Amino acid sequence: MMFVRMLNDIKLRKKLSLIFITVAVVPLLASGIYLTGKLREVMIMDAFEQAVDNVDRVRKRTEEVIKVPLDISYQLSNDSRMKSVASRRYGSYIEVIQTYRQYTDIRDYVRLYKEVKAIRLYTDNPTMLNNWEFMPPDAKTEQEEWYKTALSKKGLAGWGFIQDERDQTYYLSLARKISLDEPGQESVLVINVNTSLLNSILSQESFTTMIVDDQNNIVAANRPNMYGRNLAEVHAGDNILTQQAGSFDAVMDGEPSKVVISSLVPESSWNGLRVISVFSVSDIVRDANKVIRLAIMVLGGCLIIAVLLVSASASLITSRLLRLSKQMSRVGTGPGSWDAYLDLDGKDEIGQLSRQFNSLVQRISQLMLEVEESNQQKRLVESRQNEIKFKMLASQINPHFLFNTLESIRMEAHIRGEEDLAQAVWQLSSLLRSSLEVGSGKIRLSEELAMVQCYLELQKFRYEDRLLYDIALAPGTGEIEIPPLILQPLVENSIFHGLDGKEEGPMLITIRTEARGDDEVFVEIEDDGAGIPQQKMEDLQNKLKEPEESEGRIGLRNVHDRLRLTYGNDSGLSIKSKEGEGTRITFSIPRGNDSNVLSTDC
């Protein structure tokens, strides 16, 4: 109750603004914050699923690439010619050069397989020359961890980031011990993987993706500034340095990120590689944030405009209410105050209230004038009212008077033996009574035919044997409802245009109905009268197709328009006529669900 009292004490302008903010702004802000959070979650989840798929795809393609040097290492480990070249003791440099020229398998592998950048075999044979394929290991090479590990792993392959002695570039390389022909003589095979091919695989990824060895050296990446660096240098965190597979949150280059890792350990290898995909949350939601900022700007502008419009509307409302309040205060303050008139435009509640107030003031003023007037003025008013009532009663026409008069004429004709005249008067009375009782609703088809039959009998009184008619009402069609006065104008048209224009012989008017299926009734009015000339028939068809007129529509056009308005365009009149042979008018109407067929006896 206290809140309601406080709300009632607030000015209307402030109250409307408060209602707008409460009803529109607060729900809009709440839903915006909720939807923004959901949008961020969905985008991060989609990015995470995409990163998982990308890592799996990169792992498979990388596995296909490194499988080539792995297969080559198997073939070379069983290559007796290579072992013979590496273990043979040469007597001169010429003999070494000739042997190198004859053995081309290593060069062929490098030339044929794009996955391989270079192949070299380290063997401790002082009689050999270094041709970058067969190489004696120097003291530095023998102290390398990858070299000592390869010798100790008994033929297993190892993968590391090894510097090529020829171009001084680091490559992802396979290192493997190969036993030569002589007992105790061993060598190490090194195959460099084509880094460009690995980078091309990673370049198709939208997120930061890299391949690292077991020492966390980045051996390939789709970001050039990361290639050759160690993961520890990019502030990756302990999880990304040690975890072999899975997904987790991490900090990369100082930004919160999502990390997806997949492990790749080739067969017969003592170590493996890891494919790592990283995407920062800020990169993923950057586009969403742009949309959100734009939406906030648009919504903010809309809210400002809305507040201004609400304020303007409130000012308009309150100003009109203030005018009404001032006018109400003026009423009753002194002489002439009851003549005050308040002019407030509009059809809203305030406008209605002002008009009701003006009406109330006028009524009160009139009542006061009536009190001041004398009893003579009251009697004058009563006299004038009585005079008006008398004139209204005198100007009224009672239909029963007409029916009673027609009944008197009919009885007089019957007494005098004029049965035909008595029957015609009775038919006219029935037709007039039916016409007066017809409203704006629908009547049954049987009732309409009853009126038509009365009309035809009345016309036969005039035309006698020149007019013949036949009404065939199909079973089950009399109960449907149609607009009143549909058939009578059509029959009237046949009589006045078909019979009057026929020079000799009687004219037959046939009216029949037919049930077509369960949902349609077909009605036909046909005569064998004078017919319609072709030119007049074309004019009539054109008039029926023209847009309906606002007033003055009679006859065929009236019936045609009412049928189309009631049942649709397909229910209009269809007219066929030939001069000298007669006219046929048909239309179809949907069957209703009414019952009780009335008698067609006139």
Side-chain angles (χ1 to χ4, degrees):
M1 295 298 295
M2 183 178 295
F3 174 74
V4 174
R5 287 196 297 269
M6 292 177 59
L7 189 63
N8 292 334
D9 293 337
I10 300 176
K11 296 294 185 181
L12 183 59
R13 182 175 180 180
K14 295 181 179 179
K15 191 181 299 183
L16 291 175
S17 301
L18 181 61
I19 292 174
F20 172 76
I21 294 174
T22 304
V23 174
V25 178
V26 174
L28 184 63
L29 291 177
S31 59
I33 294 172
Y34 174 77
L35 293 177
T36 299
K38 285 296 182 182
L39 177 62
R40 289 171 61 89
E41 291 179 6
V42 170
M43 295 191 68
I44 293 174
M45 182 59 66
D46 290 344
F48 178 76
E49 293 176 356
Q50 181 182 349
V52 171
D53 294 339
N54 293 349
V55 166
D56 185 64
R57 181 175 62 254
V58 170
R59 185 188 64 79
K60 291 179 180 179
R61 295 191 62 185
T62 304
E63 187 176 15
E64 294 174 358
V65 172
I66 65 177
K67 189 175 184 298
V68 174
L70 189 62
D71 292 341
I72 293 174
S73 70
Y74 283 129
Q75 297 178 25
L76 291 177
S77 65
N78 297 315
D79 189 349
S80 58
R81 293 182 60 217
M82 186 196 73
K83 293 181 179 181
S84 175
V85 172
S87 60
R88 179 180 176 182
R89 300 295 176 176
Y90 297 96
S92 64
Y93 291 152
I94 295 176
E95 185 180 357
V96 175
I97 295 172
Q98 289 177 348
T99 302
Y100 286 172
R101 288 178 178 176
Q102 294 173 359
Y103 182 77
T104 61
D105 289 1
I106 292 178
R107 291 191 294 275
D108 291 341
Y109 283 132
V110 175
R111 179 173 55 85
L112 293 175
Y113 296 98
K114 62 181 180 179
E115 292 85 357
V116 177
K117 186 67 175 178
I119 302 176
R120 57 188 184 275
L121 181 69
Y122 291 93
T123 181
D124 190 10
N125 186 348
T127 65
M128 296 182 67
L129 295 176
N130 182 357
N131 67 340
W132 306 112
E133 294 176 1
F134 295 93
M135 302 174 59
D138 54 16
K140 179 181 178 182
T141 302
E142 291 177 346
Q143 296 300 319
E144 293 287 347
E145 188 67 27
W146 61 267
Y147 187 84
K148 293 188 292 183
T149 306
L151 290 174
S152 65
K153 290 300 181 179
K154 298 180 180 180
L156 294 177
W159 302 88
F161 203 44
I162 301 175
Q163 185 180 26
D164 187 275
E165 296 184 9
R166 186 172 188 177
D167 58 11
Q168 302 300 311
T169 302
Y170 284 87
Y171 295 93
L172 171 63
S173 303
L174 177 147
R176 181 174 191 166
K177 184 184 79 169
I178 296 180
S179 299
L180 300 180
D181 293 338
E182 296 184 8
Q185 189 176 10
E186 298 175 340
S187 62
V188 175
L189 177 67
V190 176
I191 302 178
N192 296 339
V193 180
N194 190 344
T195 304
S196 299
L197 185 59
L198 295 178
N199 289 335
S200 66
I201 294 174
L202 301 180
S203 64
Q204 302 176 12
E205 308 303 321
S206 56
F207 302 141
T208 300
T209 309
M210 49 194 163
I211 303 174
V212 300
D213 62 6
D214 60 344
Q215 300 299 318
N216 288 323
N217 295 310
I218 302 175
V219 300
N222 61 348
R223 302 292 186 268
N225 61 330
M226 301 185 71
Y227 173 74
R229 300 172 65 185
N230 194 279
L231 280 179
E233 299 177 14
V234 295
H235 310 288
D238 294 337
N239 288 338
I240 196 172
L241 295 176
T242 58
Q243 190 163 328
Q244 294 299 312
S247 59
F248 50 89
D249 296 331
V251 177
M252 293 287 291
D253 293 331
E255 293 187 6
S257 305
K258 297 284 185 180
V259 179
V260 179
I261 301 177
S262 180
S263 179
L264 172 59
V265 180
E267 59 179 337
S268 301
S269 301
W270 79 71
N271 65 353
L273 305 172
R274 291 186 300 157
V275 179
I276 303 175
S277 180
V278 181
F279 62 90
S280 65
V281 176
S282 60
D283 290 339
I284 295 301
V285 300
R286 181 180 294 113
D287 293 337
N289 290 336
K290 290 181 180 179
V291 175
I292 292 171
R293 286 194 294 270
L294 179 60
I296 291 174
M297 293 175 61
V298 173
L299 290 176
C302 293
L303 288 176
I304 292 174
I305 295 175
V307 169
L308 295 177
L309 291 176
V310 169
S311 178
S313 301
S315 299
L316 180 61
I317 294 173
T318 54
S319 63
R320 299 170 71 199
L321 289 176
L322 287 175
R323 289 179 58 192
L324 180 59
S325 176
K326 292 179 180 179
Q327 189 68 15
M328 293 176 66
S329 300
R330 286 182 53 194
V331 174
T333 57
S337 61
W338 293 104
D339 296 332
Y341 178 79
L342 178 61
D343 184 14
L344 289 180
D345 296 333
K347 297 181 180 180
D348 58 356
E349 288 79 358
I350 299 177
Q352 293 178 2
L353 186 60
S354 67
R355 287 189 290 273
Q356 292 173 359
F357 172 74
N358 291 332
S359 178
L360 178 62
V361 172
Q362 290 177 359
R363 289 176 184 176
I364 294 175
S365 178
Q366 291 175 359
L367 288 174
M368 293 182 67
L369 289 176
E370 289 179 1
V371 171
E372 294 176 358
E373 290 179 352
S374 63
N375 293 331
Q376 182 180 359
Q377 184 67 23
K378 291 181 180 180
R379 288 193 297 270
L380 179 60
V381 171
E382 291 176 359
S383 175
R384 291 180 179 178
Q385 290 177 347
N386 292 332
E387 183 180 352
I388 292 174
K389 289 181 180 180
F390 177 79
K391 290 181 179 180
M392 291 178 61
L393 292 173
S395 63
Q396 291 180 347
I397 298 177
N398 191 343
H400 293 287
F401 169 76
L402 177 60
F403 296 144
N404 293 336
T405 304
L406 289 175
E407 181 64 18
S408 299
I409 296 173
R410 187 183 73 83
M411 292 300 297
E412 184 66 23
H414 179 69
I415 293 172
R416 296 185 181 184
E418 300 290 342
E419 295 296 337
D420 292 341
L421 180 60
Q423 180 69 14
V425 172
W426 180 77
Q427 289 169 347
L428 176 60
S429 176
S430 299
L431 186 60
L432 288 174
R433 186 184 301 274
S434 300
S435 299
L436 290 173
E437 291 176 352
V438 168
S440 60
K442 295 182 181 179
I443 64 173
R444 294 173 185 166
L445 181 58
S446 57
E447 295 177 349
E448 178 78 0
L449 286 174
M451 294 175 61
V452 170
Q453 185 174 358
C454 290
Y455 175 76
L456 287 170
E457 288 294 332
L458 192 61
Q459 292 297 326
K460 280 182 64 65
F461 180 75
R462 172 188 175 188
Y463 292 101
E464 298 180 346
D465 294 337
R466 290 194 63 199
L467 175 63
L468 304 176
Y469 71 87
D470 179 34
I471 298 177
L473 180 64
T477 61
E479 70 271 17
I480 71 166
E481 291 190 345
I482 64 173
L485 298 178
I486 289 293
L487 300 179
Q488 191 269 338
L490 304 182
V491 174
E492 181 180 353
N493 184 78
S494 296
I495 293 175
F496 286 106
H497 296 285
L499 181 58
D500 290 346
K502 192 172 183 178
E503 296 180 355
E504 60 182 15
M507 185 186 76
L508 173 63
I509 298 177
T510 303
I511 304 172
R512 69 182 185 90
T513 64
E514 177 184 348
R516 294 185 175 180
D518 296 332
D519 55 0
E520 187 179 34
V521 173
F522 176 80
V523 181
E524 178 185 68
I525 299 93
E526 184 176 10
D527 67 71
D528 58 355
I532 305 174
Q534 181 177 358
Q535 182 61 42
K536 188 175 181 180
M537 184 67 188
E538 293 177 357
D539 295 340
L540 178 60
Q541 296 286 2
N542 292 332
K543 288 181 180 179
L544 293 181
K545 295 178 182 179
E546 291 176 357
E548 60 180 296
E549 301 169 3
S550 60
E551 58 182 3
R553 296 181 294 129
I554 58 173
L556 297 179
R557 175 59 184 270
N558 182 290
V559 175
H560 179 72
D561 288 343
R562 285 197 293 146
L563 285 172
R564 294 180 67 189
L565 290 173
T566 305
Y567 302 108
N569 293 336
D570 295 335
S571 296
L573 295 180
S574 175
I575 304 175
K576 295 182 179 180
S577 180
K578 190 172 182 181
E579 187 175 7
E581 295 184 6
T583 303
R584 179 172 177 265
I585 302 176
T586 61
F587 61 88
S588 297
I589 54 179
R591 179 189 289 273
N593 296 323
D594 308 283
S595 59
N596 299 327
V597 180
L598 299 184
S599 172
T600 59
D601 294 336
C602 184

